Amino acid sequence: EMCIRDRWQEESEQRQEELNRMKSDKDDMHARREARNAEFAKQREDAARDAEQHEKSARERHEKWARARAEREEAQRVAREQEKEWWEARDRARKAEWAEEMESLEREEADARERAKIAAEAAKAAEELEHEAEKLRQQAHQARQKAFLHTRNMDFILSLIHISEPTRLLSISYAVFCLKKKNREKPTEKII
């Protein structure tokens, strides 16, 4: 009976120790759980704080981006207006230049018409002078034939030397008559 009691007491002590160990383990587990919960709460607070800071920085970046976009759009609008003014000024300059070129071309055309008119008048005058010169050549030829006929039985032979001046603008000719004696003496020249 003493042995059973001692064994029962020993088993009771062992159970008590096991219960104490289990209680201690439970307390440790509860403490670890509390620590984990506290750490999770701290992490949640840190995450919430980080999210708030991130949201704040995102709002600041968005506001900064919106300001930059507004400034860029304003700069683009000003650039478009300046480009439009530049194109308008260029068009005005080109129109003025074209007007001056047209006036210059009209003046040149008028001058060309005037020169053509003068050239036509000069050509007409030259043609008239050529006709007159042809008439004079024909008259000189007839006069030479008459002189030859009249002087055939005379002591002098009348010969015609034709001399022209190519340095003049119009063709002008001169007739030079030489009188020669039949006895082959030195001829005497007479210019008519």
Side-chain angles (χ1 to χ4, degrees), residues 142-155:
Q142 292 174 1
R144 185 183 61 189
Q145 288 180 350
K146 289 179 181 179
F148 179 75
L149 292 174
H150 286 295
T151 57
R152 187 168 47 183
N153 296 321
M154 295 176 63
D155 293 335

Side-chain angles (χ1 to χ4, degrees), residues 129-130 132-134 136-138 140 160-166 168 170-177 191-192:
L129 289 174
E130 183 66 26
E132 292 180 359
E134 183 64 27
L136 290 173
R137 281 195 293 271
Q138 290 177 0
L160 176 64
I161 299 174
H162 183 267
I163 299 173
S164 63
E165 292 188 9
R168 291 181 177 257
L170 300 176
S171 57
I172 299 175
S173 300
Y174 296 95
V176 178
F177 294 93
I191 297 174
I192 300 175

Side-chain angles (χ1 to χ4, degrees), residues 15-72:
R15 280 194 300 272
Q16 188 66 33
E17 288 178 359
E18 188 175 353
L19 286 173
N20 290 333
R21 191 171 57 250
M22 289 175 65
K23 185 178 180 182
S24 177
D25 291 341
K26 185 178 180 181
D27 291 338
D28 290 340
M29 187 171 60
H30 184 68
R32 284 195 300 271
R33 186 181 296 155
E34 290 293 331
R36 260 196 323 271
N37 290 335
E39 186 177 356
F40 289 158
K42 186 179 179 182
Q43 288 178 358
R44 281 195 299 271
E45 290 177 358
D46 292 340
R49 189 169 54 254
D50 292 340
E52 186 178 356
Q53 289 180 356
H54 181 70
E55 186 178 357
K56 183 179 178 181
S57 63
R59 282 196 304 269
E60 291 177 353
R61 284 197 303 271
H62 182 72
E63 291 175 357
K64 186 177 180 180
W65 177 80
R67 287 194 300 270
R69 182 178 179 182
E71 291 176 357
R72 186 174 64 251

Side-chain angles (χ1 to χ4, degrees), residues 87-137:
W87 280 107
E88 289 177 354
R90 184 180 178 184
D91 290 339
R92 288 194 298 270
R94 281 189 173 179
K95 287 179 181 178
E97 185 178 355
W98 290 342
E100 291 178 358
E101 289 181 358
M102 288 298 294
E103 291 178 359
S104 177
L105 289 174
E106 288 176 357
R107 286 195 298 269
E108 290 178 359
E109 187 178 358
D111 292 341
R113 284 197 298 268
E114 188 67 25
R115 286 194 296 270
K117 184 178 178 181
I118 293 172
E121 292 176 355
K124 186 177 180 181
E127 188 177 355
E128 291 177 354
L129 289 174
E130 183 66 26
H131 287 309
E132 292 180 359
E134 183 64 27
K135 288 179 181 179
L136 290 173
R137 281 195 293 271

